[in-house]
């Protein structure tokens, strides 16, 4: 291992060499210097705080391999692409790869070909990984999104709790780093306890984002208010909506008003999503209306506002998503649109969409039957889930099916791709023994070469069943466009040479363990998990309804103490407006005017020469202090001296 006393200076040099930065951000330097101590490190940085560089930069210096654990397929692929572009040897292992590809990358890792290897937590327990664990030159493990370890985290994943055990043979001789942007005190303690960190170094930048102006707008007509916000805003922004339909409708409404807006959700194919993301990063698209899958790991520092059209169900989720605004440190606005029915709708959604234990068992059984898995059978590769088939088998509605699949993933039963990329499924209808003769009988050389390349790519498994592979990968390997590929597949299917399927909007998943004859979770465990969701919803609603500083409320939730009001959220600014006009002269003028008779807001404004918008909080303050009172008159609300 590189001499730790030289680690920081070499890391600083590589920061300049590979990333073009001459200095680390606050907190990053402390993390890298702490690697010289023989202790585990827990990094608590807010969204946009630069967590990735805390392990990427020292990984380029430390002799050997750094393993990065991440639950997000899209994020690890994006980061590996960026590292390769910078000239750093990196790769990933996740569910998008075939078994042969995984084996080859593990062999490469064993031979020292990579500095950084990204891996999903589910892969750590597989035989193929465990077999070569001792032979890989692993020197550091960085656990990204470490809040997934905790049952109190907003994105709990049971497979995260097994990470330390899966590295047990080498756990004592490697460096450990856990990183998260959203850790309450309970989550932080759970991470430390689960990973067995003994007196770890905890480095926190705190949860204050002084450049963010936290804002909640009470609004029943959200669509109208959203349009006003976007028209008034300067710079590019994000709008988060809860459903695909809402994304489509809201983006269209913005376009109708000459705003360059696009919708982003899992219903779009991978090429569309990639194009939308790149256009937004480059400023060609002004605003993206998206589900919460958008933005994770995207390197765009100048997002000026993030509007939540629908209320998230936890403060962790809200803080993480809203925190994508202003990553460059300049003034930006996270805005939450709220209306009276948000809380009751959210609570109802949790109640109705969270399946019972018996319903989860039905979904689990239907999934196993759908994949033709016998009891004790294992899945080596992820396969397609046809939701309509599950509905037929389990007799449960589609909404419950989707919720059940999500919960089975959280419980560590299923491994899901984070979003479904376009998949091409192929099954050769000619027997493997007759294939070469059939291939030789084809006269056109180009056609023969295409079929031969296709079968070599998909492997012998495609003779037994439909085998799925990423469509973009197939196009790249066969050097063919999507239209030509589809045309060729249709021709071969018409000749009964093969059958094929192109998936654009279906989940791909696999059982992590062999099919069990009984469902492994008790009613008590499942109810405890649901109750935690309700608790988080209560805190989220508390943020909306608080009369105190919003930044302070959030920082207290994440465990900070002795924090002062930010002075720039909507609550603080309203209080400041009260203070500015709360003078003895103004109070005396109002009281003298109201002694004659009850007066309207407009009348008081004309008499005192104070703006109505400034008067409102002052009159509300005087009402709370019982100095004046209100009553309904012929022309609406009037104010009068309280006798």
């Amino acid at each position: 291992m590189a001499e730790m006393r030289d680690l920081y200076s070499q890391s600083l040099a590589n920061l300049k060499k590979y990333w073009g930065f001459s200095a680390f951000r606050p907190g990053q330097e402390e993390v890298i210097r702490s690697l010289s101590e023989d202790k585990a490190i827990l990094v608590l940085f807010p969204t946009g705080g630069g967590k990735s560089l805390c392990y990427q930069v020292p990984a380029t210096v430390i002799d050997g391999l750094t393993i990065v654990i991440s639950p997000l397929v899209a994020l690890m692929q994006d980061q590996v692409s960026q590292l390769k572009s910078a000239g750093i040897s990196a790769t990933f292992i996740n569910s998008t790869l075939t078994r042969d590809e995984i084996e080859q990358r593990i062999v490469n890792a064993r031979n020292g070909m990579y500095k950084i290897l990204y891996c999903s937590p589910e892969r750590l327990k597989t035989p193929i990984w465990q077999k070569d664990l001792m032979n890989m030159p692993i020197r550091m493990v960085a656990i990204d999104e470490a809040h997934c370890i905790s049952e109190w985290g907003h994105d709990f994943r049971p497979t995260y709790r097994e990470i330390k055990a899966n590295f047990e043979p080498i756990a004592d001789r490697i460096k450990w780093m856990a990183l998260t942007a959203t850790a309450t005190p309970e989550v932080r303690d759970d991470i430390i306890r689960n990973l067995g960190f003994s007196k770890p170094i905890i480095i926190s930048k705190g949860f204050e984002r002084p450049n963010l102006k936290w804002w909640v707008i009470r609004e029943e007509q959200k669509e109208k208010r959203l349009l006003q916000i976007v028209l008034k805003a300067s710079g590019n922004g994000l709008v988060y909506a809860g459903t695909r339909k809402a994304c489509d409708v809201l983006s269209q409404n913005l376009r109708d008003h000459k705003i360059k807006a696009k919708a982003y959700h899992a219903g779009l194919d991978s090429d569309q999503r990639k194009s939308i993301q790149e256009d937004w990063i480059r400023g060609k698209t002004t605003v993206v209306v998206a589900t919460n899958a958008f933005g994770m790991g995207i390197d765009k520092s100048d997002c000026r506002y993030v509007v939540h059209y629908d209320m998230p169900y936890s403060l962790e989720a809200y803080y993480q998503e809203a925190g994508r605004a202003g990553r460059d440190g300049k003034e930006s606005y996270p805005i939450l649109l709220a209306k009276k029915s948000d809380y009751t709708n959210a609570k109802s959604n949790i109640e109705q969409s969270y399946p019972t234990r018996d319903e989860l068992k039905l979904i689990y059984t239907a999934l196993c039957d759908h994949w033709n898995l016998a009891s004790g059978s294992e899945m080596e590769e992820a396969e397609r889930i046809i939701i309509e088939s599950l509905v037929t088998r389990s007799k449960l509605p589609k909404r419950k099916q989707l919720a059940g699949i999500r919960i089975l993933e959280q419980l560590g039963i299923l491994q899901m791709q984070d979003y479904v990329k376009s998949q091409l499924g192929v099954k050769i209808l000619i027997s493997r023994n007759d294939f070469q003769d059939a291939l030789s009988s084809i006269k056109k050389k180009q056609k023969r070469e295409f079929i031969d390349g296709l079968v070599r790519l998909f492997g012998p498994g495609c003779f037994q069943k439909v085998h799925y592979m990423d469509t973009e990968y197939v196009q790249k390997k066969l050097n063919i466009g999507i239209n030509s590929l589809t045309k060729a597949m249709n021709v071969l299917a018409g000749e009964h040479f093969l059958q094929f399927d192109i998936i654009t909007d279906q989940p791909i998943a696999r059982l992590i363990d062999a099919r069990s004859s009984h469902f492994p979770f008790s009613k008590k465990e499942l109810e405890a998990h649901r109750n935690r969701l309700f608790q988080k919803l209560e805190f989220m609603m508390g943020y909306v309804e608080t009369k105190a500083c919003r930044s302070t409320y959030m920082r207290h939730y994440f465990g900070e103490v002795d924090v002062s009001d930010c002075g720039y959220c909507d609550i603080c600014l309203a209080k400041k407006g009260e203070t500015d006009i709360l003078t003895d002269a103004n109070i005396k003028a109002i009281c003298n005017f109201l002694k004659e008779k009850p007066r309207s807001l407009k009348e008081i404004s004309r008499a005192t020469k104070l703006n109505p918008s400034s008067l409102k909080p002052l009159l509300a303050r005087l009402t709370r202090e019982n100095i004046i009172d209100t009553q309904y008159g012929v022309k609406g609300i009037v104010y009068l001296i309280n006798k």
Side-chain angles (χ1 to χ4, degrees):
M1 186 178 288
E3 289 293 328
M4 283 301 175
R5 63 176 177 271
D6 298 328
L7 178 63
Y8 177 74
S9 59
Q10 291 180 40
S11 294
L12 190 60
N14 282 2
L15 179 71
K16 178 69 174 178
K17 176 181 177 182
Y18 294 115
W19 284 272
F21 302 134
S22 57
F24 288 107
R25 290 191 198 176
Q28 291 175 334
E29 177 178 337
E30 188 180 353
V31 172
I32 293 171
R33 288 189 185 280
S34 296
L35 282 170
S36 61
E37 298 186 39
D38 191 22
K39 289 183 179 180
I41 304 172
L42 176 59
V43 178
L44 307 173
F45 283 7
T47 300
K51 294 187 299 297
S52 299
L53 290 184
C54 290
Y55 55 79
Q56 288 177 344
V57 178
T60 64
V61 177
I62 295 173
D63 292 334
L65 179 66
T66 292
I67 303 293
V68 180
I69 311 298
S70 172
L72 303 166
V73 171
L75 179 59
M76 64 172 76
Q77 290 172 333
D78 185 54
Q79 291 201 355
V80 166
S81 177
Q82 292 177 26
L83 289 167
K84 285 183 174 179
S85 297
I88 299 167
S89 55
T91 193
F92 61 82
I93 292 176
N94 59 36
S95 58
T96 66
L97 304 176
T98 65
R99 182 182 178 87
D100 288 345
E101 288 173 320
I102 291 171
E103 286 182 339
Q104 185 59 57
R105 293 188 186 193
I106 288 178
V107 169
N108 293 346
R110 191 178 67 204
N111 292 333
M113 291 178 62
Y114 309 122
K115 295 301 294 180
I116 303 176
L117 189 155
Y118 284 78
C119 184
S120 56
E122 293 82 7
R123 284 288 154 188
L124 302 178
K125 60 193 293 186
T126 59
I128 188 174
W129 176 273
Q130 287 294 320
K131 184 182 71 173
D132 272 312
L133 176 64
M134 298 290 290
N135 299 321
M136 286 189 282
I138 300 171
R139 297 294 179 265
M140 182 167 70
V141 173
I143 304 171
D144 203 5
E145 309 294 337
H147 56 267
C148 295
I149 287 172
S150 175
E151 294 180 9
W152 287 96
H154 70 290
D155 194 17
F156 170 53
R157 293 171 183 247
T159 50
Y160 256 71
R161 296 186 74 82
E162 301 173 12
I163 290 174
K164 188 67 177 288
N166 289 324
F167 281 99
E168 194 60 39
I170 61 171
D172 293 336
R173 68 178 193 232
I174 57 179
K175 289 284 180 185
W176 286 88
M177 185 186 298
L179 309 96
T180 179
T182 51
T184 63
E186 295 91 346
V187 171
R188 181 194 63 199
D189 293 343
D190 206 3
I191 292 170
I192 292 171
R193 186 167 49 250
N194 176 264
L195 293 175
F197 287 178
S198 177
K199 297 180 180 179
I201 298 171
I202 300 175
I203 301 172
S204 175
K205 286 176 62 177
F207 292 88
E208 183 183 19
R209 297 281 302 276
N211 65 309
L212 297 188
K213 316 305 180 188
W214 300 95
W215 214 268
V216 174
I217 298 176
R218 298 276 190 169
E219 180 59 70
E220 293 299 310
Q221 296 180 321
K222 288 188 178 183
E223 190 168 345
K224 182 179 178 181
R225 180 55 71 93
L226 174 64
L227 177 61
Q228 293 171 348
I229 292 169
V230 176
L231 284 171
K232 186 179 179 181
S234 59
N236 298 336
L238 275 175
V239 176
Y240 283 111
T243 65
R244 298 179 190 180
K245 183 178 179 181
C247 293
D248 291 332
V249 170
L250 294 173
S251 62
Q252 184 60 57
N253 183 47
L254 295 175
R255 286 195 297 274
D256 290 343
H257 289 82
K258 311 303 181 186
I259 297 167
K260 295 177 181 178
K262 290 183 180 178
Y264 181 103
H265 51 67
L268 306 172
D269 65 42
S270 59
D271 287 339
Q272 288 175 299
R273 290 195 297 267
K274 186 176 181 181
S275 174
I276 292 167
Q277 179 176 311
E278 289 177 351
D279 283 350
W280 184 68
I281 290 172
R282 294 171 183 169
K284 292 182 179 179
T285 298
T286 303
V287 57
V288 172
V289 186
T291 53
N292 60 9
F294 185 84
M296 188 67 72
I298 292 176
D299 187 18
K300 182 175 176 64
S301 61
D302 61 345
C303 176
R304 294 279 70 90
Y305 62 92
V306 173
V307 179
H308 275 80
Y309 189 83
D310 294 304
M311 183 180 75
Y313 292 0
S314 74
L315 264 177
E316 289 95 332
Y318 180 65
Y319 180 81
Q320 189 173 57
E321 293 160 15
R324 289 166 190 157
R327 295 174 70 162
D328 57 3
K330 296 180 181 179
E331 182 175 279
S332 303
Y333 291 85
I335 301 169
L336 174 61
L337 296 179
K339 63 181 181 180
K340 292 178 181 178
S341 59
D342 282 350
Y343 174 75
T344 52
N345 288 342
K347 190 173 182 181
S348 177
N349 284 339
I350 293 174
E351 289 171 344
Q352 293 178 20
S353 65
Y354 199 96
T356 64
R357 182 185 183 277
D358 289 340
E359 287 171 334
L360 280 174
K361 185 178 179 182
L362 271 176
I363 295 168
Y364 174 77
T365 302
L367 266 173
C368 293
D369 291 343
H370 171 59
W371 286 326
N372 296 316
L373 287 174
S375 181
S377 299
E378 295 184 353
M379 295 177 68
E380 290 188 357
E381 296 180 4
E383 294 189 22
R384 178 184 182 184
I385 299 176
I386 303 175
I387 301 298
E388 288 71 19
S389 174
L390 295 190
V391 171
T392 302
R393 290 176 185 273
S394 68
K395 303 296 188 290
L396 294 173
K398 184 176 181 179
R399 183 179 180 183
K400 275 274 174 72
Q401 296 288 350
L402 294 171
I405 288 170
R406 187 183 68 252
I407 292 165
L408 290 177
E409 179 190 16
Q410 291 173 346
L411 294 173
I413 293 174
L414 281 181
Q415 178 189 359
M416 302 286 295
Q417 291 188 8
D418 286 83
Y419 61 88
V420 179
K421 298 183 73 176
S422 178
Q423 300 276 320
L424 173 66
V426 173
K427 180 183 179 183
I428 305 299
L429 299 178
I430 298 171
S431 72
R432 193 172 179 183
N433 292 333
D434 297 333
F435 174 72
Q436 287 300 330
D437 290 339
L439 190 64
S440 300
S441 67
I442 297 173
K443 295 180 180 180
K444 291 184 178 180
K445 180 183 177 183
Q446 188 177 8
K447 186 175 181 180
R448 282 200 313 272
E449 290 177 347
F450 173 80
I451 295 172
D452 184 54
L454 187 73
V455 172
R456 288 177 182 275
L457 186 61
F458 277 80
C462 68
F463 286 94
Q464 280 78 44
K465 63 178 182 178
V466 178
H467 185 74
Y468 287 91
M469 192 171 288
D470 176 57
T471 307
E472 290 180 1
Y473 180 74
V474 174
Q475 288 177 243
K476 182 179 178 181
K477 287 294 185 181
L478 298 181
N479 193 26
I480 189 171
I482 185 62
N483 293 333
S484 298
L485 176 63
T486 304
K487 184 178 179 180
M489 300 307 288
N490 278 314
V491 169
L492 293 174
E495 295 172 353
H496 304 289
F497 198 96
L498 55 74
Q499 70 181 64
F500 78 98
D501 185 21
I502 296 181
I503 304 169
T504 56
D505 190 19
Q506 291 283 358
I508 304 290
R510 61 179 282 272
L511 281 186
I512 293 173
D513 296 317
R515 177 177 181 174
S516 175
S517 57
H518 66 280
F519 190 65
F521 289 91
S522 69
K523 182 179 179 181
K524 184 178 179 181
E525 287 175 303
L526 296 174
E527 285 182 348
H529 184 64
R530 186 178 71 166
N531 289 339
R532 281 191 286 272
L533 297 181
F534 284 129
Q535 287 178 312
K536 290 184 179 298
L537 179 62
E538 293 293 335
F539 280 111
M540 184 69 232
M541 199 60 199
Y543 171 81
V544 173
E545 296 181 335
T546 185
K547 303 300 181 187
C549 168
R550 299 201 191 279
S551 177
T552 297
Y553 181 95
M554 203 170 314
R555 293 169 70 188
H556 281 159
Y557 177 77
F558 288 116
E560 293 189 34
V561 295
D562 298 328
V563 298
S564 55
D565 290 355
C566 68
Y568 41 73
C569 69
D570 59 316
I571 299 290
C572 287
L573 291 177
K575 289 180 179 179
K576 185 176 184 295
E578 284 185 34
T579 304
D580 289 345
I581 67 166
L582 190 60
T583 64
D584 290 341
N586 285 339
I587 294 172
K588 185 176 181 179
I590 291 170
C591 290
N592 286 338
F593 187 55
L594 294 181
K595 281 179 182 178
E596 299 176 19
K597 63 178 182 178
R599 305 283 189 172
S600 69
L601 178 66
K602 286 185 178 179
E603 289 173 322
I604 300 171
S605 176
R606 283 197 297 267
T608 60
K609 295 183 172 51
L610 294 173
N611 188 289
S613 61
S614 299
L615 261 176
K616 279 184 179 180
L618 173 54
L619 293 172
R621 172 82 171 264
L622 296 178
T623 303
R624 288 198 303 270
E625 294 176 0
N626 217 26
I627 296 171
I628 64 174
D629 204 350
T630 60
Q631 68 181 32
Y632 287 93
V634 178
K635 297 182 180 180
I637 295 177
V638 292
Y639 299 86
L640 63 156
I641 289 290
N642 196 327
K643 302 297 183 182

